[in-house]
Amino acid sequence: MPDPFRALIVDDDAEMRQSLAVLLERSDWAVESVGSAEAALSRLQATAPDVVLSDVRMPGMSGLELLEAMSKRPSPPLVLISAHGDIPMAVDAIQNGAYSFLEKPFEPRRLLTVLKHAAEQHRLSDMTKRMREQLVSLSGLDRVLLGGDVRVTKLKEEAIDLALSDAPVLITGETGTGKELVARALHRLGPRRDKEFVALNCASLAPDRVEEQMFGTAHTLLGSFRKAHGGTLFLDEVAACPLEVQIKLLRALETGVIQPVGTDEEIQTDVRIVAATNEDLAPLVEAGKFRADFLFRLNTFEMRLPRLIERGDDIVLLYEHFVEQFCETYEISPIEMTAEDAAALLAHSWPGNVRELRHVAERRVLAARRGGGSVAEALRTDDLIDDVPATLREAVARFEKTLISQAISNHGGRMDAVAEALGIGRRTLNEKIVKLGLEKSKLLD
């Protein structure tokens, strides 16, 4: 049997409180009553009512002032009653968040109906909130989007809504903001969670082999679309997709029909598309480097991941979270963060975003394992590069090679742990290892 609805009655008139309590208790409500709005505020958390019923005119804090105070924190719905009510007062109360406004003398059945609807709405809202929190926890979204920044909170809510849709999602954000991790969370939250999540790095697609990679071959290679059938196909670094590849992808996305290389057979596929880019695609469309129709196919919904520098105090929160993780991994005692450490974290520009912060936390923990270190020292990466490369591409490649080599060594060659530490997918890690010419066996000697 469901729990009875709970009401908190607020009225300075003892007889009225008693009369209202009797009315509700006869309808199987659990009731508590207080004589002032101040007392109601102090009892809200302890009583956890489904609805608050309050008179408007009371000594001290009025019912309207109670409404204003309740609006500043999570609270149940408030129903106001008054013998002095008029239409302007009712409109003002509703606009300021009151659930309903009843003028005395009120019809008892009308009052019970209003209170029941308010209580049902409150319980439904609470249940939805708990389900959302459970979904976030199960999907790991809290670990991906950890923090209290308002943009991060909004992104988590948005992710839950978008996960239930089959429409394409375009995730934008700078390198290191966690685009693939968010894409995987969308997959785990949605109805396709039991099928495959397949990541396709568009930057690594070779125009002469793109059809094999995407659509497979007649007898041997499945291809990304067939691997992701019933699940999610993640198009990473979609801005790097060559125009000729965009045309072939567009047809597959529009029709769902693919034709494996070496056969005339057409195969119907069912995939949910999630794409990611660290570039603004609109200028590329204007420059003729990205097809407008391809962009329209990808960005039915768009999620923008904020830069770490935009997230304020979340920087310190994330750093402490990563340090705690690495202290457990390397089996060392917790590290106390100093004021100098916090200042260094907040003063840094974080061009590498959350991924860079994670690396800094790991370097800090490794230094502590050797008996020293500070955040300022962990932020210095000059010693990772022997000389300055001639081009930005070479600099990025050398930096990636150094970080991946270090991570493989630190994690003893456990590639899943390496991918997680670097904040990239396992497939992306394998592709980078091949592209950079790294030999795992030599790194573990």
Side-chain angles (χ1 to χ4, degrees):
M1 184 176 180
D3 291 337
F5 289 130
R6 299 182 301 276
L8 177 61
I9 298 172
V10 189
D11 201 309
D12 64 311
D13 186 333
E15 291 186 9
M16 177 59 73
R17 291 201 306 273
Q18 178 65 25
S19 175
L20 289 170
V22 169
L23 174 64
L24 268 64
E25 287 168 349
R26 285 177 177 174
S27 298
D28 298 322
W29 281 69
V31 179
E32 179 168 342
S33 61
V34 293
S36 69
E38 293 86 350
L41 285 175
S42 67
R43 294 293 298 159
L44 272 179
Q45 187 172 356
T47 58
D50 296 301
V51 62
V52 175
L53 177 63
S54 175
D55 199 349
V56 171
R57 297 182 183 271
M58 295 180 290
M61 180 182 285
S62 70
L64 293 175
E65 290 171 329
L66 172 62
L67 172 64
E68 182 181 0
M70 289 175 59
S71 68
K72 296 177 181 178
R73 62 186 188 183
S75 300
L78 175 65
V79 175
L80 290 169
I81 54 176
S82 175
H84 310 281
D86 53 18
I87 292 177
M89 181 185 290
V91 170
D92 186 57
I94 299 298
Q95 288 180 342
N96 285 303
Y99 181 84
S100 188
F101 185 100
L102 299 174
E103 187 173 3
K104 300 176 184 176
F106 47 79
E107 203 276 316
R109 289 185 181 180
R110 169 64 177 159
L111 175 64
L112 289 172
T113 298
V114 169
L115 293 178
K116 181 183 177 184
H117 289 169
E120 287 174 341
Q121 179 176 305
H122 177 65
R123 289 200 175 180
L124 181 60
S125 176
D126 267 2
M127 182 180 68
T128 302
K129 181 180 179 181
R130 288 195 301 271
M131 288 178 64
R132 282 176 172 267
E133 290 173 349
Q134 184 180 22
L135 283 172
V136 167
S137 176
L138 290 174
S139 71
L141 200 57
D142 262 336
R143 293 191 295 275
V144 177
L145 295 172
L146 179 68
D149 181 82
V150 63
R151 283 161 292 201
V152 173
T153 301
K154 184 178 179 181
L155 274 173
K156 285 189 281 192
E157 295 173 352
E158 186 179 4
I160 294 172
D161 292 334
L162 294 183
L164 301 178
S165 169
D166 251 358
V169 176
L170 178 64
I171 304 173
T172 64
E174 292 185 358
T175 299
T177 50
K179 295 184 291 296
E180 181 170 348
L181 295 175
V182 171
R184 289 182 180 276
L186 288 175
H187 174 74
R188 288 193 295 268
L189 280 167
R192 296 174 178 262
R193 66 178 68 90
D194 295 329
K195 300 296 183 178
E196 291 294 318
F197 176 94
V198 177
L200 181 64
N201 191 320
C202 295
S204 66
L205 288 173
D208 58 336
R209 294 191 62 245
V210 63
E211 291 182 280
E212 293 180 11
Q213 292 173 280
M214 291 192 304
F215 311 136
T217 57
H219 304 294
T220 56
L221 187 64
L222 273 181
S224 297
F225 271 81
R226 282 195 285 176
K227 288 180 183 176
H229 180 70
T232 301
L233 178 59
F234 176 56
L235 302 177
D236 196 11
E237 298 185 53
V238 72
C241 194
L243 283 171
E244 57 269 35
V245 174
Q246 293 178 34
I247 297 172
K248 295 172 181 177
L249 271 173
L250 179 61
R251 179 179 180 274
L253 298 184
E254 288 179 337
T255 66
V257 175
I258 65 168
Q259 187 175 348
V261 176
T263 177
D264 293 330
E265 179 186 9
E266 290 190 337
I267 298 176
Q268 184 71 43
T269 60
D270 172 29
V271 298
R272 199 268 176 96
I273 298 296
V274 178
T277 177
N278 59 10
E279 296 186 49
D280 185 354
L281 296 181
L284 296 181
V285 170
E286 292 180 6
K289 297 179 181 179
F290 203 89
R291 293 178 62 95
D293 50 1
F294 187 42
L295 175 58
F296 295 151
R297 176 59 58 177
L298 297 175
N299 70 347
T300 303
F301 293 103
E302 186 170 334
M303 295 181 68
R304 179 190 173 275
L305 305 190
R307 296 181 301 142
L308 181 58
I309 195 64
E310 297 172 342
R311 294 174 57 181
D313 291 342
D314 277 2
I315 295 172
V316 176
L317 175 65
L318 284 163
Y319 170 79
E320 291 184 316
H321 172 71
F322 291 143
V323 165
E324 182 180 347
Q325 284 186 331
F326 286 123
C327 283
E328 292 179 3
T329 299
Y330 294 110
E331 299 180 343
I332 71 170
S333 300
I335 300 172
E336 182 177 351
M337 186 170 65
T338 66
E340 290 77 11
D341 287 338
L345 289 168
L346 295 174
H348 190 59
S349 61
W350 300 109
N353 293 292
V354 177
R355 185 182 301 168
E356 181 187 2
L357 179 61
R358 187 183 181 94
H359 294 160
V360 167
E362 184 170 18
R363 290 198 292 271
R364 175 67 185 94
V365 170
L366 288 173
R369 195 181 187 189
R370 298 189 295 269
S374 67
V375 167
E377 291 173 359
L379 281 165
R380 298 191 193 109
T381 56
D382 296 345
D383 57 329
L384 297 177
I385 303 176
D386 297 325
D387 58 318
V388 179
T391 67
L392 178 61
R393 185 181 297 275
E394 291 174 359
V396 171
R398 185 175 299 186
F399 188 63
E400 284 188 335
K401 188 172 184 178
T402 302
L403 290 179
I404 292 173
S405 299
Q406 186 182 52
I408 291 174
S409 177
N410 290 343
H411 292 280
R414 294 180 288 110
M415 303 310 286
D416 285 338
V418 172
E420 183 180 356
L422 294 172
I424 59 177
R426 177 67 183 275
R427 182 187 294 273
T428 302
L429 174 62
N430 291 339
E431 290 170 349
K432 288 186 180 293
I433 287 174
V434 173
K435 183 178 179 180
L436 296 170
L438 293 173
E439 296 184 35
K440 178 180 170 182
S441 57
K442 290 184 178 180
L443 295 172
L444 299 174
D445 288 344

